[in-house]
């Protein structure tokens, strides 16, 4: 089945810094999604991005399906960006999550 | 507030018991998804229903079952509970029937099995 690996596992930054989170997946996938779980546990769907690049405010994501990776960029980080970021790969009617990157933004 | 509601918020029960978790999707959404989040297994997709029918199945144990009712709310039934079933169970909903649709998550039900 599909394997999904995220890096780094933890990232600590100062407010205003930029960050790049990576998601590698093992097989061809139909879809790649990014999610954010805030420190209170709420999950939010950030991007649905099977290929190409999408942007939403300070966040953008790029998926290179042929090389089996996706990147999530966060620019000008704010403390509200803290939490865990998950990517999930969809294939064969299954959605497989990575272990997440825990991002801490310090004021 | 995502518009997705889950009850109860917390549940404490004993091994061997059976529990039912309930999810009400956002108004107009036809799909309901169930997820389990535990320290051991991370975040796992369990199952998806679309307009009353099972659409996709993930790592759902045979001891677990789900259904979606005509009013589109969904229930996840967990039976013969084990300590390892302790986890946060999320429900999400979306308009469309694919796994790639934008999903809106409920606040979760925290299950503790003692």
């Amino acid at each position: 089945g599909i394997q999904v690996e995220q890096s780094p596992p933890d990232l600590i930054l100062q407010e205003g810094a930029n960050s790049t989170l990576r998601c590698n997946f093992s097989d061809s996938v139909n879809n790649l999604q990014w999610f954010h779980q805030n420190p209170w546990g709420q999950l939010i769907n950030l991007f649905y991005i099977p290929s190409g690049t999408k942007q939403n405010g300070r966040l953008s994501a790029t998926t290179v399906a042929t090389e089996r990776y996706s990147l999530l960029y966060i620019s000008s980080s704010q403390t509200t960006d803290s939490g865990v970021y998950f990517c999930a790969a969809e294939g064969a009617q299954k959605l497989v999550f990575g272990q997440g990157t825990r991002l801490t933004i310090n004021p | 507030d995502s518009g997705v509601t889950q009850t109860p918020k917390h549940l404490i029960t004993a091994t061997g018991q059976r529990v039912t978790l309930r999810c009400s999707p956002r108004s107009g959404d036809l799909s309901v998804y169930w997820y389990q989040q535990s320290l051991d297994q991370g975040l796992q997709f369990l199952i998806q229903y679309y307009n009353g029918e099972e659409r996709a199945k993930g790592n759902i144990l045979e001891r677990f079952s789900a259904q979606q009712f005509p009013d589109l709310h969904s229930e996840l039934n967990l039976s013969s509970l084990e300590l390892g079933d302790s986890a946060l169970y999320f429900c999400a909903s979306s308009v469309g029937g694919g796994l790639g649709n934008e999903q809106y998550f409920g606040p979760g039900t925290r299950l503790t099995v003692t």
Side-chain angles (χ1 to χ4, degrees):
Chain A
I2 300 170
Q3 305 289 321
V4 179
E5 287 186 12
Q6 292 186 244
S7 60
D10 292 279
L11 191 53
I12 301 173
L13 298 170
Q14 291 298 123
E15 204 166 21
N18 301 328
S19 57
T20 301
L21 282 56
R22 186 176 180 104
C23 173
N24 292 331
F25 42 94
S26 60
D27 294 312
S28 297
V29 298
N30 299 329
N31 181 20
L32 194 292
Q33 298 185 59
W34 284 95
F35 299 82
H36 175 225
Q37 186 170 35
N38 69 21
W40 297 271
Q42 180 66 39
L43 273 163
I44 295 172
N45 203 170
L46 294 175
F47 291 104
Y48 159 90
I49 184 162
S51 64
T53 298
K54 286 188 178 178
Q55 180 147 11
N56 184 2
R58 295 180 297 101
L59 274 60
S60 65
T62 295
T63 296
V64 184
T66 52
E67 297 187 23
R68 298 182 183 166
Y69 74 88
S70 183
L71 301 174
L72 179 69
Y73 305 96
I74 305 173
S75 64
S76 304
S77 299
Q78 300 176 359
T79 55
T80 52
D81 295 328
S82 294
V84 182
Y85 290 81
F86 294 97
C87 67
E90 177 199 341
Q93 288 295 301
K94 292 189 190 298
L95 196 58
V96 178
F97 286 81
Q99 289 300 307
T101 292
R102 182 173 298 279
L103 177 64
T104 303
I105 305 297
N106 291 322
Chain B
D1 184 355
S2 66
V4 178
T5 60
Q6 290 187 248
T7 56
K9 284 189 169 48
H10 302 276
L11 197 47
I12 302 175
T13 189
T15 54
Q17 296 298 305
R18 173 189 169 95
V19 297
T20 297
L21 312 184
R22 184 188 168 104
C23 170
S24 293
R26 290 187 323 155
S27 176
D29 285 357
L30 298 178
S31 272
V32 170
Y33 310 76
W34 286 99
Y35 297 89
Q36 179 196 59
Q37 186 174 31
S38 65
L39 287 175
D40 289 345
Q41 304 282 344
L43 193 52
Q44 291 195 97
F45 165 67
L46 296 180
I47 198 163
Q48 178 204 0
Y49 278 81
Y50 177 73
N51 205 20
E53 307 230 337
E54 183 183 305
R55 180 59 68 99
K57 203 166 188 174
N59 298 330
I60 188 165
L61 299 172
E62 285 191 11
R63 299 183 286 109
F64 296 1
S65 65
Q67 55 184 327
Q68 186 179 27
F69 294 86
D71 67 352
L72 301 177
H73 90 271
S74 178
E75 293 181 355
L76 179 66
N77 300 296
L78 314 176
S79 61
S80 303
L81 285 167
E82 301 175 1
L83 295 178
D85 297 327
S86 295
L88 194 49
Y89 290 85
F90 286 103
C91 157
S93 73
S94 71
V95 172
L99 284 173
N101 285 275
E102 182 173 10
Q103 298 175 37
Y104 295 85
F105 287 82
T109 292
R110 183 169 295 282
L111 174 67
T112 303
V113 182
T114 62

